[in-house]
Amino acid sequence: MLKHAVIPFLVGASLLASAPFAQAATNLVFCSEGSPAGFDPGQYTTGTDFDASAETMFNRLTQFERGGTAVVPGLATSWDISPDVLTYTFHLREGVKFHTTPYFKPTREFNADDVLFTFNRMINKDDPFRKAYPTEFPYFTDMAMDTNIAKVEKVDDRTVKFVLNSVDAAFIQNLAMSFASIQSAEYAAQLLKDGKPGDINQKPIGTGPFVFKSYQKDSNIRYTGNKDYWKPEDVKIDNLIFAITTDPSVRIQKLKKNECQITLFPRPADLKALREDKTLKLPEQAGFNLGYIAYNVMPVLKGRTDNNPLADLRVRQALDMSVNKAQIIDSVYQGAGQLAVNAMPPTQWSYDTTIKDAKYDPEKAKELLKEAGIKEGTQITLWAMPVQRPYNPNAKLMAEMLQSDWKKIGLNVNIVSYEWGEYIKRSKGGENQAMIIGWSGDNGDPDNWLNVLFGCDSLSGNNFSKWCDKDFDKLVKDAKKTPDQAKRTELYKQAQHLLKDQVPMTPIAHSTVFQPMRANVQDFKISPFGLNSFYGVSVSK
């Protein structure tokens, strides 16, 4: 790779921060926190993956306004909903071009065929592309969209119809989520013909504001501004670079040196210095998020032959009531966290304020463990995230504090971790026992918390507790099928009580989100969903 300061976009990873590069008005370096697992948004569920793909290179039929939860037109300019709320007809935008790259040159503009390909490959396991590239779509299936979408029909090149089996009150919001990013059917056909369908995940093609150039794992991702973007006023950056920097202290050092212009997830200890640096700014907002402990309730864990003590409700209750949340919030969040009592933030409509935490009571916890036949010195494994997320600034410290809390009730806690992609993959496979994890809301709907994180359809996805309660599941599914928000609220409140009683998780905190950046970064919007989007963003001299 060429390394020369006068060709800023081609400099090596070690030279990303050369002075000409960092100060060029049409270039922006984002110090991200981890390597994406791939670039096909449909295959993933984490912000790291979505930032690198959906938020840069793709669009969806509907989209969320920048920095908000309101749905606005995307690749569909408008939509009609039938009186029975089962048929959605989308009118597609004209003049939208897919990216032109060295590996693909489109011969036509975006049309209905692309919508059909995008969704049919997720619905139909016998779809030719899906058979050639067998993969799963966890978000799509977690939300039961694979079974609820009866069919996707092409009315004409500019019109697509979705027919549902049952009412989905959040359907329009769901289509605005990252996993629903529209792929090119023409590109997929080329990959299929060439026998390289897996390249859809490594050499992405979208309609979004940035075009993929290259990726070096654990180093950098490079994009160029899409000069043919259908909303040209949103492309104000010629070259966008993700400088993958896992260490939060190094990210802040790079920001201060202008080696990157924006970063994320500062440690609470760094906030004071960031506020005092006049070359920086530190916008913040209340987090639409939750940091929590998931307890795997499966009787036997994957890869193990011994019984899992966490399958016993009394053990989970003991773990829950022996967590010193006040100390964790003070030490881990350092004033930037709010006590969490429920499985979603209090700003989410349908949140039940009547639910209370069990009293902190290590002595009662010991009694419960004794009743459950758990001997003193029993070992349990606690998984700790290797990265910072909006909902947890320091999972390692939290794990150490939990280890101390649970030692007080007679348990020996072994802390383990994995690289972020492996951490998520293994936990979705059910290998975890107790696990530190969290969530940032994706669409402003309660279903995105209760169903996606704890529903039976999510057992192979984001339901890290592997908890499937039929009564709870019926409540959240009935709520999803109910257009009336007041009725939905009542159902969700009942579900929240069931969840609290069965303790598949311990909520810890909702954190404030801080987004450090150089003072000359203009019009960046903090996403309530914990994502990072750079369309509409500019860097002044």
Side-chain angles (χ1 to χ4, degrees), residues 438-474:
W439 193 253
S440 292
D442 287 308
N443 64 6
D445 194 90
D447 181 79
N448 185 243
W449 299 91
L450 299 180
N451 186 32
V452 170
L453 299 183
F454 304 104
C456 296
D457 290 332
S458 304
L459 286 173
S460 61
N462 292 302
N463 185 342
F464 299 115
S465 302
K466 307 305 175 190
W467 179 71
C468 176
D469 182 281
K470 299 302 181 185
D471 293 333
F472 174 90
D473 209 55
K474 184 178 188 305

Side-chain angles (χ1 to χ4, degrees), residues 20-262:
F21 182 86
Q23 297 174 10
T26 56
N27 300 301
L28 187 147
V29 183
F30 170 53
C31 278
S32 62
E33 89 286 14
S35 295
F39 296 93
D40 176 1
Q43 296 186 41
Y44 304 107
T45 62
T46 78
T48 300
D49 299 304
F50 292 154
D51 284 353
S53 59
E55 296 305 303
T56 50
M57 298 179 288
F58 290 92
N59 296 120
R60 290 146 293 285
L61 292 175
T62 62
Q63 297 190 173
F64 294 110
E65 65 179 358
R66 286 203 306 137
T69 61
V71 175
V72 297
L75 293 180
T77 55
S78 62
W79 46 89
D80 307 313
I81 306 173
S82 64
D84 62 3
V85 202
L86 290 175
T87 302
Y88 292 74
T89 303
F90 292 89
H91 306 284
L92 306 183
R93 189 177 299 277
E94 296 186 25
V96 176
K97 298 178 180 180
F98 279 98
H99 299 160
T100 295
T101 69
Y103 51 86
F104 177 68
K105 292 179 172 53
T107 64
R108 62 166 177 80
E109 295 180 344
F110 157 74
N111 66 28
D113 293 333
D114 305 305
V115 180
L116 264 63
F117 166 72
T118 297
F119 289 93
N120 283 334
R121 72 174 183 137
M122 294 194 282
I123 296 169
N124 181 14
K125 291 189 176 182
D126 291 324
D127 178 271
F129 193 88
R130 176 81 168 271
K131 291 186 77 172
Y133 181 49
T135 190
E136 298 303 319
F137 302 96
Y139 237 135
F140 193 70
T141 53
D142 282 3
M143 301 172 79
M145 295 181 78
D146 57 328
T147 55
N148 196 36
I149 297 177
K151 55 184 175 180
V152 187
E153 294 181 333
K154 176 181 178 179
V155 178
D156 56 45
D157 277 352
R158 304 256 70 83
T159 314
V160 173
K161 183 183 294 184
F162 286 74
V163 180
L164 307 185
N165 288 314
S166 60
V167 173
D168 180 350
F171 188 67
I172 292 296
Q173 291 96 316
N174 293 344
L175 291 186
M177 291 167 62
S178 298
F179 75 89
S181 295
I182 301 299
Q183 299 275 359
S184 165
E186 185 183 17
Y187 180 49
Q190 174 183 304
L191 294 177
L192 205 56
K193 181 181 178 182
D194 294 344
K196 298 179 179 179
D199 278 2
I200 200 168
N201 196 28
Q202 304 302 324
K203 297 179 177 180
I205 293 291
T207 58
F210 297 96
V211 181
F212 180 78
K213 295 295 289 186
S214 64
Y215 170 47
Q216 185 176 348
K217 184 175 171 62
D218 299 329
S219 176
N220 64 81
I221 316 169
R222 302 166 183 271
Y223 312 86
T224 56
N226 181 6
K227 300 303 182 185
D228 294 322
Y229 191 48
W230 54 270
K231 197 176 180 183
E233 64 273 18
D234 275 354
V235 182
K236 300 177 180 179
I237 300 167
D238 290 329
N239 301 305
L240 173 65
I241 306 265
F242 280 34
I244 300 166
T245 311
T246 57
D247 188 318
S249 61
V250 175
R251 290 199 296 268
I252 296 303
Q253 291 169 15
K254 286 186 175 184
L255 183 71
K256 288 182 175 180
K257 294 177 181 178
N258 201 22
E259 294 178 6
C260 58
Q261 287 73 55
I262 186 167

